[in-house]
Structures are given as structure tokens and as C-alpha cells.
Amino acid sequence: MYLYHDPPYLTDSSRIQKELADDIQRAINGEYTAILCYEELSKQAKTSEAKELILEIQQDEKRHYKEFTNFYKRLTGKKPVPKITEECAKQYRRGLQAAFKDEQNTVDFYLDIADKTDDPVIKKIFQRAAADEQNHAVWFLYLLTSPTSNRLFRQTINFGAEGAINTSALSLAQMLTYAMQDEYLAQTRYNLILQKFGEIRTFSRIKQAELRHIAALQPLFQGYGVPLPPDTSTMYASIPETIKDAYAAGVKGEIDNIAMYDKFLTYQLPEDVQFVFTQLRNASLNHLAAFERGLARNL
């Protein structure tokens, strides 16, 4: 963080613009550091799939860096000078841990920037960047928890939250369809986990909550004339090998779910749809905390 005293002659408007420029400079520094560290991390990857995934994440960071640089030049008339904010980890696992932590912290930072600006373009870009960072955190978590089988729960088709996150523009019908698909997938995932490992209170409780989510979404399909999608989720769910993998799957599912609803809520939505999406997103935050506690106990 940069510590300074604003000149007394700055107006409120210019002070806000200066704070925004400083925040964007900090974001540029973070992206610049991530690009360099992920390059090193990809070279340390244990499998070709892990290397490919890290380089995919790096491409997102390069796009963010370019977008933020353009904003900074527009605000200040100057080209930013990026700085490395931290040293890249030398050990692969420590690098993954650092990346996971940084991605999670960056989500909140980018959403704070989006909340503070009145510029609709900057607001939208930082909201979308926050969704990207949340998705990145998922994949780094999986590289940490399942380093030799990191595609165990990775969807490669457009279904559920993954489909929503990977689609550039969304209609209301698509949002409702992706949301319901994701609820179907959660139900199938929890059924598989409970069948294999027996009664686990966390999964049973959250499974029941997800049924309530389905009930909350159904009236929206009826109200807006959108057909309910068929439940094909069994094609895309995998059976976890261990309890640790089961909790990791729960963490990933909730992070994806939150990222999906965060993306939906950047659109102008009917009031009833916005209310339901906000409620489901907030519920997923609670579910995520429960799964993270379970994962921590089983690491």
C-alpha cells in the first residue's frame, strides 16, 4: 500500500479520482506479479494438465493487466510502471498456496474497486475480473488437494456454473438454465458422496438447502416462460476418492456457484430475479465456509 498525504488543494472529486488511480496501480502491480510467478509455477508443475491450467490462468491475468493499464492511462494520462509486489515461491506447493491465498484476497479488492467507482465500464471490468479471480482460486485449490488428478471435478463443457462463467454474454433464460443446472449438479454430487461415505451432517444439511434453492428458482421459470432444463447432471459428476476430495468438491462447487451469481448480478435484472439470485449467492457463502472447515480438518 502507498502511504501519502493528499495536497490540501485537491477537491473531493480529484481526491476520489486519485484514490481510484492508486487502486488501479496496485491492481496492475498484482497482475504483473501474478504473470511472472505463474510463469515460474507452470515450469514446476507436476503434470502436463497442471501446467496447461496454470498457463490458462496466466492468460486471464495478462488480459486483466492490459485492461487495467488502459484505465490507468485514461485516468492519469500516464503509462503505469508496474512493480513486483512479492517474491515468487521457489517450491511448487508453496507457490500454489500463495497463489490460492492471493486470488482469494484479490476478489475482495476488485469488488471494492467496483463498488467505489461510478464509471460503469471500470465497474463492470473489475466485477468480471473478480469473478475470474474467484475461478482461479478454485483451480489452485484443486492443484493443492488433488495434484495428480486435477481434472477430477473439472467440467470441460458448458454446464451449470462453469457454463455461466465461460459465457461472455447471458440472457435471462440462460442465467436461469445455468443456475438450475448447477443445483442439479450439486444434488448429484452430494448423493454420490453420501452413498459412498455414509451420513455426513455437513453434506446432508447442505443438500437439503440446495433443494430449497431449486424450489426458489422454479417460480422464475414459470413467471418468465423459460422451460425447465432436463437433469443431465449425472453425466458431469465424479465420485470422490476420499473425504478430503469430497470436501474439496464442495468448496469448488460453492466457489463456482458464488462466481456465477456474482456475474449474474452485474446485469440489469428484474427485481424478483435479483432478489432470488442474491439470496442464493449469500447462502452459498455460508455453505462455502462449512466446506472449507471440513476440508481444513481433513488436509
Coordinates of all heavy atoms in Angstrom, one line a residue, residues 160-200:
G160 N -24.0 -25.8 -16.0 CA -24.0 -25.2 -14.7 C -23.2 -24.0 -14.6 O -23.1 -23.2 -15.5
A161 N -22.6 -23.8 -13.4 CA -21.8 -22.6 -13.1 C -20.6 -22.4 -14.1 O -20.3 -21.3 -14.5 CB -21.3 -22.6 -11.7
E162 N -20.0 -23.5 -14.4 CA -18.9 -23.4 -15.4 C -19.3 -22.8 -16.7 O -18.7 -22.0 -17.3 CB -18.3 -24.8 -15.6 CG -17.4 -25.3 -14.5 CD -16.0 -24.6 -14.5 OE1 -15.5 -24.3 -15.6 OE2 -15.5 -24.4 -13.4
G163 N -20.5 -23.3 -17.2 CA -21.0 -22.7 -18.4 C -21.3 -21.3 -18.3 O -21.0 -20.5 -19.2
A164 N -21.9 -20.8 -17.2 CA -22.2 -19.4 -17.0 C -21.0 -18.6 -16.9 O -20.9 -17.5 -17.6 CB -23.0 -19.3 -15.7
I165 N -20.0 -19.1 -16.2 CA -18.7 -18.3 -16.1 C -18.0 -18.1 -17.4 O -17.4 -17.1 -17.7 CB -17.8 -19.0 -15.1 CG1 -18.4 -18.9 -13.7 CG2 -16.4 -18.4 -15.1 CD1 -17.7 -19.8 -12.6
N166 N -18.1 -19.2 -18.3 CA -17.4 -19.2 -19.5 C -18.2 -18.5 -20.7 O -17.6 -18.4 -21.8 CB -17.0 -20.6 -19.9 CG -16.0 -21.2 -19.0 OD1 -15.1 -20.5 -18.5 ND2 -16.1 -22.5 -18.7
T167 N -19.4 -18.1 -20.5 CA -20.2 -17.5 -21.5 C -20.0 -16.0 -21.4 O -20.2 -15.4 -20.3 CB -21.7 -17.9 -21.3 OG1 -21.8 -19.3 -21.5 CG2 -22.5 -17.2 -22.4
S168 N -19.7 -15.3 -22.5 CA -19.4 -13.9 -22.4 C -20.6 -13.0 -22.2 O -20.6 -12.0 -21.4 CB -18.7 -13.4 -23.7 OG -19.5 -13.7 -24.9
A169 N -21.7 -13.3 -22.8 CA -23.0 -12.5 -22.6 C -24.1 -13.5 -22.3 O -24.2 -14.6 -22.9 CB -23.3 -11.7 -23.9
L170 N -25.0 -13.1 -21.4 CA -26.0 -14.0 -21.0 C -27.4 -13.4 -21.1 O -27.6 -12.2 -20.7 CB -25.7 -14.4 -19.5 CG -24.5 -15.2 -19.2 CD1 -24.1 -15.1 -17.7 CD2 -24.8 -16.7 -19.5
S171 N -28.4 -14.2 -21.5 CA -29.7 -13.8 -21.4 C -30.3 -14.2 -20.1 O -29.7 -15.1 -19.4 CB -30.5 -14.4 -22.6 OG -30.6 -15.8 -22.5
L172 N -31.5 -13.7 -19.8 CA -32.2 -14.2 -18.5 C -32.4 -15.7 -18.6 O -32.3 -16.4 -17.6 CB -33.5 -13.4 -18.3 CG -34.3 -13.8 -17.1 CD1 -33.4 -13.7 -15.8 CD2 -35.5 -12.9 -17.0
A173 N -32.9 -16.1 -19.7 CA -33.2 -17.6 -19.9 C -31.9 -18.4 -19.6 O -32.0 -19.5 -19.0 CB -33.7 -17.9 -21.3
Q174 N -30.8 -18.0 -20.2 CA -29.5 -18.7 -19.9 C -29.1 -18.7 -18.5 O -28.7 -19.7 -17.9 CB -28.4 -18.1 -20.8 CG -28.5 -18.3 -22.3 CD -27.4 -17.6 -23.0 OE1 -27.3 -16.4 -22.9 NE2 -26.6 -18.3 -23.8
M175 N -29.3 -17.5 -17.8 CA -29.0 -17.4 -16.4 C -29.8 -18.4 -15.6 O -29.3 -19.2 -14.7 CB -29.2 -16.0 -15.9 CG -28.3 -15.0 -16.4 SD -28.6 -13.4 -15.6 CE -28.1 -12.3 -16.9
L176 N -31.1 -18.5 -15.8 CA -31.9 -19.4 -15.1 C -31.6 -20.8 -15.4 O -31.5 -21.7 -14.4 CB -33.4 -19.1 -15.4 CG -34.0 -17.8 -14.9 CD1 -35.4 -17.6 -15.5 CD2 -34.0 -17.8 -13.4
T177 N -31.3 -21.1 -16.6 CA -30.9 -22.5 -17.0 C -29.6 -22.9 -16.3 O -29.5 -24.0 -15.8 CB -30.8 -22.6 -18.5 OG1 -32.1 -22.3 -19.1 CG2 -30.4 -24.0 -18.9
Y178 N -28.6 -22.1 -16.4 CA -27.3 -22.4 -15.8 C -27.5 -22.6 -14.3 O -26.9 -23.5 -13.7 CB -26.3 -21.4 -16.1 CG -25.7 -21.4 -17.5 CD1 -25.6 -20.3 -18.3 CD2 -25.2 -22.6 -18.0 CE1 -25.0 -20.3 -19.6 CE2 -24.7 -22.7 -19.3 CZ -24.6 -21.5 -20.1 OH -24.0 -21.6 -21.3
A179 N -28.3 -21.7 -13.7 CA -28.5 -21.8 -12.2 C -29.1 -23.1 -11.8 O -28.7 -23.8 -10.9 CB -29.3 -20.6 -11.7
M180 N -30.2 -23.5 -12.6 CA -30.8 -24.8 -12.2 C -29.9 -25.9 -12.5 O -29.9 -26.9 -11.7 CB -32.1 -24.9 -13.0 CG -33.0 -26.1 -12.6 SD -33.5 -26.0 -10.9 CE -34.9 -24.9 -11.0
Q181 N -29.2 -25.9 -13.6 CA -28.2 -27.0 -13.9 C -27.2 -27.1 -12.7 O -26.9 -28.3 -12.3 CB -27.5 -26.7 -15.2 CG -28.3 -26.9 -16.4 CD -27.5 -26.5 -17.7 OE1 -26.5 -25.8 -17.6 NE2 -27.9 -27.0 -18.8
D182 N -26.8 -26.0 -12.2 CA -25.8 -26.1 -11.1 C -26.4 -26.7 -9.8 O -25.8 -27.4 -9.1 CB -25.3 -24.7 -10.8 CG -23.9 -24.7 -10.1 OD1 -23.0 -25.3 -10.8 OD2 -23.8 -24.2 -9.0
E183 N -27.7 -26.4 -9.6 CA -28.4 -27.0 -8.5 C -28.6 -28.5 -8.7 O -28.4 -29.3 -7.7 CB -29.8 -26.4 -8.2 CG -29.7 -24.9 -7.9 CD -29.0 -24.6 -6.6 OE1 -28.8 -25.5 -5.8 OE2 -28.5 -23.4 -6.4
Y184 N -28.9 -28.9 -9.9 CA -28.9 -30.3 -10.2 C -27.6 -31.0 -9.9 O -27.5 -32.1 -9.3 CB -29.3 -30.6 -11.7 CG -30.7 -30.2 -12.1 CD1 -30.9 -29.9 -13.5 CD2 -31.8 -30.2 -11.2 CE1 -32.2 -29.6 -13.9 CE2 -33.0 -29.9 -11.7 CZ -33.3 -29.6 -13.0 OH -34.5 -29.3 -13.5
L185 N -26.5 -30.4 -10.4 CA -25.2 -30.9 -10.2 C -24.8 -31.1 -8.7 O -24.2 -32.1 -8.3 CB -24.2 -30.1 -10.9 CG -22.7 -30.6 -11.0 CD1 -22.7 -31.9 -11.7 CD2 -21.8 -29.6 -11.7
A186 N -25.2 -30.1 -7.9 CA -24.9 -30.1 -6.5 C -25.7 -31.3 -5.9 O -25.1 -32.1 -5.1 CB -25.4 -28.8 -5.8
Q187 N -26.9 -31.5 -6.2 CA -27.7 -32.6 -5.7 C -27.0 -34.0 -6.1 O -26.9 -34.9 -5.2 CB -29.1 -32.6 -6.2 CG -30.0 -31.5 -5.6 CD -30.2 -31.7 -4.1 OE1 -30.6 -32.8 -3.7 NE2 -29.9 -30.7 -3.3
T188 N -26.6 -34.1 -7.3 CA -26.0 -35.4 -7.7 C -24.6 -35.6 -7.0 O -24.3 -36.7 -6.6 CB -25.7 -35.3 -9.3 OG1 -27.0 -35.2 -9.9 CG2 -25.0 -36.6 -9.7
R189 N -23.9 -34.5 -6.9 CA -22.6 -34.6 -6.2 C -22.8 -35.1 -4.7 O -22.1 -36.0 -4.2 CB -21.9 -33.2 -6.2 CG -20.5 -33.2 -5.5 CD -19.9 -31.8 -5.4 NE -19.9 -31.1 -6.7 CZ -20.6 -30.0 -6.9 NH1 -21.3 -29.4 -6.0 NH2 -20.5 -29.4 -8.1
Y190 N -23.7 -34.5 -4.0 CA -24.0 -34.8 -2.6 C -24.5 -36.2 -2.5 O -24.2 -37.0 -1.5 CB -24.9 -33.8 -2.0 CG -24.3 -32.4 -2.0 CD1 -25.2 -31.3 -2.1 CD2 -23.0 -32.1 -2.0 CE1 -24.7 -30.0 -2.1 CE2 -22.5 -30.9 -2.1 CZ -23.3 -29.8 -2.2 OH -22.9 -28.5 -2.2
N191 N -25.4 -36.6 -3.4 CA -25.9 -38.0 -3.4 C -24.7 -39.0 -3.5 O -24.7 -40.0 -2.8 CB -26.9 -38.2 -4.5 CG -28.2 -37.6 -4.2 OD1 -28.6 -37.4 -3.1 ND2 -29.0 -37.3 -5.3
L192 N -23.8 -38.8 -4.5 CA -22.7 -39.7 -4.6 C -21.8 -39.7 -3.4 O -21.3 -40.8 -3.0 CB -21.8 -39.2 -5.8 CG -22.5 -39.4 -7.2 CD1 -21.6 -38.7 -8.3 CD2 -22.7 -40.8 -7.6
I193 N -21.6 -38.6 -2.8 CA -20.8 -38.5 -1.6 C -21.4 -39.3 -0.4 O -20.8 -40.1 0.3 CB -20.5 -37.1 -1.2 CG1 -19.5 -36.4 -2.2 CG2 -19.9 -36.9 0.2 CD1 -19.4 -34.9 -2.1
L194 N -22.7 -39.1 -0.2 CA -23.4 -39.7 0.9 C -23.5 -41.2 0.7 O -23.5 -42.0 1.6 CB -24.8 -39.1 1.1 CG -24.7 -37.6 1.6 CD1 -26.1 -37.0 1.5 CD2 -24.2 -37.6 3.0
Q195 N -23.7 -41.6 -0.6 CA -23.8 -43.0 -0.9 C -22.4 -43.7 -0.6 O -22.4 -44.9 -0.1 CB -24.1 -43.2 -2.4 CG -25.6 -42.9 -2.7 CD -25.8 -42.9 -4.2 OE1 -25.0 -43.3 -5.0 NE2 -27.0 -42.4 -4.6
K196 N -21.3 -43.0 -0.9 CA -20.0 -43.7 -0.7 C -19.5 -43.6 0.7 O -19.0 -44.6 1.2 CB -19.0 -43.0 -1.6 CG -17.6 -43.6 -1.4 CD -16.6 -43.2 -2.5 CE -15.3 -43.9 -2.4 NZ -14.3 -43.5 -3.5
F197 N -19.7 -42.5 1.4 CA -19.1 -42.3 2.7 C -20.2 -42.4 3.9 O -19.8 -42.3 5.0 CB -18.4 -41.0 2.8 CG -17.3 -40.8 1.8 CD1 -17.5 -40.0 0.7 CD2 -16.1 -41.5 2.0 CE1 -16.4 -39.9 -0.3 CE2 -15.1 -41.4 1.0 CZ -15.2 -40.6 -0.1
G198 N -21.4 -42.6 3.6 CA -22.4 -42.6 4.6 C -22.9 -41.3 5.1 O -22.5 -40.2 4.4
E199 N -23.6 -41.2 6.2 CA -24.2 -40.0 6.7 C -23.1 -39.0 7.1 O -22.3 -39.3 8.1 CB -25.1 -40.2 7.8 CG -25.8 -39.0 8.4 CD -26.7 -38.3 7.4 OE1 -27.1 -39.0 6.4 OE2 -27.0 -37.1 7.6
I200 N -23.0 -37.9 6.5 CA -22.1 -36.8 6.9 C -23.0 -35.5 7.0 O -23.6 -35.1 6.1 CB -21.0 -36.5 5.8 CG1 -20.1 -37.8 5.6 CG2 -20.1 -35.4 6.3 CD1 -19.1 -37.6 4.5

